[in-house]
Amino acid sequence: MVMDFLKQLTNLLNKLFGKKKELRLGIYGHPNAGKTTLANRICQDWIGETMGTASKIPHETRTIQQKEKITVQSKKKKLTFNLIDTPGIATKIDYEDFLKKGLKKKEAQTRAKEATKGVVEAIKWLDNMDAVLVVLDATRDPYSQVNITIIGNLVARGIPLLVVANKIDLKKADIKKVEAAFPQYPVIGLSAEYGDNIEDFYDSLFKLMR
Amino acid sequence: MFTIQYVPRSQVQKLDSDSRVKRLLRIVKEEKIVLMEGKLKPEEETKLIEETMDMVDSKFKGVEVCTVTPQEKMSVFKKSLFELFFGDTRGMTIIGPASIVKEIRRDPNKIQLLMQNSIKRKRK
């Protein structure tokens, strides 16, 4: 409790009196929540290139990916930040799950090993973030321990967050359930793949990082 | 057949975060489901994930975790004061090996442990 308070105080003092540095916006969430698809959407919209490869096989992103100096504009406002796409956080990784997705045994084992390292790396990077987008698959149960752990750690570190309920283009998406799960935090629904509600998302980004 | 090991707060209260997490994971590695009184701190939860990832191999696939917080109307000041003196004994933490617990589902009113293969589902 005392440590949490000190961390929050340090963050606040750094924001008020610290050297002006480049803002870091992190993207966190479960594997396959759509983090890289969202990162690609933001990068395509503002710098005309992609961040990484999205895949239906979990743990496609296994190392931290970064794009520097992305400037988002809305009306007369401008916001510049470094965007950081992180590997999906999981509490279990079974290489046999990758076999079911069509990978060969050796590939699956390598992917699993790299994925475990990616999870650890993503957690270590939490301390470097100035704001975080917590990306959830809106078709799935939002009450997962990974979501709770990520949000709990951001709150303990005093890092502002925006819950992004992704995949709202899908029939099973339930943004109300996501809002009910995290009533204390701002929630925005979008489809990173098709760009649905992306303007509202950018407005929320300004509020998050002001 | 599976074993649930209850861990009262008193057993882990005096341990530092690292030792607490390692103690819990040691039980999980013995193929037991941990039911701990109280909750882990947020940084202990991430520590648990990091330690778990370091342990993952062809036999140990990881864990399923669920922390439960009771809904109560206590002011932040009272809550902080309570935690300062007694620790966070409210709520509980369930940690199971992924080889036994397939998934822990929760909503505000219930928790469901979905077990792997032939192990039957247990409701709490």
Side-chain angles (χ1 to χ4, degrees):
Chain A
M1 182 57 67
V2 176
M3 285 304 289
D4 293 350
F5 174 72
L6 285 176
K7 272 182 194 166
Q8 288 189 24
L9 187 66
T10 311
N11 277 344
L12 183 69
L13 290 174
N14 278 338
K15 274 177 193 163
L16 289 174
F17 306 111
K19 232 197 254 180
K20 186 88 177 161
K21 55 162 189 167
E22 287 173 337
L23 289 174
R24 284 176 169 163
L25 175 64
I27 305 182
Y28 278 81
H30 268 279
N32 280 118
K35 298 178 294 302
T36 302
T37 308
L38 178 60
N40 284 342
R41 167 68 55 185
I42 297 170
C43 290
Q44 282 283 11
D45 284 352
W46 302 102
I47 56 172
E49 50 188 77
T50 56
M51 169 82 87
T53 310
S55 164
K56 286 190 175 165
I57 305 175
H59 298 285
E60 180 68 18
T61 306
R62 299 187 291 283
T63 55
I64 298 283
Q65 305 290 314
Q66 190 169 180
K67 285 280 180 198
E68 294 184 347
K69 291 184 180 153
I70 296 175
T71 301
V72 175
Q73 296 184 44
S74 175
K75 292 158 196 166
K76 287 180 182 173
K77 293 178 287 183
K78 268 188 183 180
L79 178 66
T80 302
F81 53 84
N82 294 346
L83 185 65
I84 294 135
D85 184 23
T86 65
I89 294 184
T91 58
K92 59 181 178 186
I93 294 172
D94 186 350
Y95 82 91
E96 288 178 10
D97 291 340
F98 301 135
L99 297 178
K100 291 173 200 159
K101 301 279 181 181
L103 295 192
K104 290 182 179 152
K105 191 176 178 185
K106 188 80 185 164
E107 280 178 310
Q109 286 172 328
T110 305
R111 192 182 186 92
K113 192 73 205 160
E114 289 173 357
T116 60
K117 289 180 181 164
V119 173
V120 175
E121 194 186 7
I123 290 171
K124 292 205 186 308
W125 268 70
L126 268 173
D127 284 321
N128 299 327
M129 303 301 174
D130 296 297
V132 165
L133 305 172
V134 182
V135 181
L136 277 67
D137 179 341
T139 67
R140 305 194 66 176
D141 180 14
Y143 295 98
S144 82
Q145 189 60 40
V146 164
N147 294 335
I148 289 162
T149 297
I150 294 170
I151 290 174
N153 273 272
L154 293 171
V155 172
R157 288 166 166 81
I159 300 170
L161 68 102
L162 172 65
V163 177
V164 178
N166 190 23
K167 308 190 187 182
I168 58 164
D169 55 294
L170 298 177
K171 218 174 182 181
K172 278 173 71 185
D174 189 349
I175 188 167
K176 289 217 160 35
K177 200 172 178 187
V178 179
E179 286 170 340
F182 305 106
Q184 315 91 308
Y185 309 105
V187 175
I188 183 92
L190 61 73
S191 165
E193 189 170 359
Y194 298 104
D196 302 353
N197 209 30
I198 201 75
E199 290 306 322
D200 286 350
F201 165 72
Y202 288 127
D203 284 343
S204 303
L205 206 54
F206 275 94
K207 285 178 200 155
L208 175 72
M209 300 186 80
R210 69 185 166 199
Chain B
M1 161 103 164
F2 57 91
T3 307
I4 296 177
Q5 182 162 336
Y6 176 65
V7 179
R9 185 77 192 172
S10 57
Q11 251 184 37
V12 287
Q13 197 170 13
K14 287 179 181 165
L15 300 176
D16 61 39
S17 290
D18 275 10
S19 310
R20 189 174 301 143
V21 165
K22 280 181 178 149
R23 167 80 66 91
L24 298 174
L25 280 175
R26 206 177 305 140
I27 301 169
V28 173
K29 283 274 274 183
E30 291 166 6
E31 304 264 284
K32 294 173 186 168
I33 297 170
V34 171
L35 186 61
M36 187 186 86
E37 180 189 13
K39 280 171 54 193
L40 293 172
K41 295 174 193 161
E43 63 267 27
E44 289 172 341
E45 288 177 15
T46 46
K47 183 83 196 155
L48 180 86
I49 296 175
E50 287 180 275
E51 290 284 334
T52 301
M53 288 298 114
D54 283 342
M55 291 158 76
V56 165
D57 57 25
S58 56
K59 285 180 189 156
F60 182 71
K61 315 287 185 188
V63 297
E64 275 292 326
V65 191
C66 179
T67 54
V68 187
T69 313
Q71 292 186 342
E72 53 188 32
K73 290 173 184 166
M74 193 189 280
S75 72
V76 175
F77 176 72
K78 265 189 188 171
K79 192 175 154 219
S80 306
L81 206 63
F82 187 88
E83 284 181 19
L84 189 67
F85 287 105
F86 303 107
D88 195 355
T89 55
R90 296 156 306 116
M92 63 178 176
T93 304
I94 304 164
I95 310 168
S99 56
I100 295 176
V101 183
K102 189 177 177 187
E103 192 184 345
I104 303 177
R105 280 188 202 160
R106 68 164 128 199
D107 64 35
N109 304 314
K110 68 171 183 247
I111 295 169
Q112 290 174 297
L113 265 70
L114 308 185
M115 313 310 278
Q116 294 281 12
N117 300 329
S118 59
I119 301 169
K120 284 181 187 169
R121 186 166 67 183
K122 183 178 171 64
R123 280 193 180 191
K124 237 189 109 44

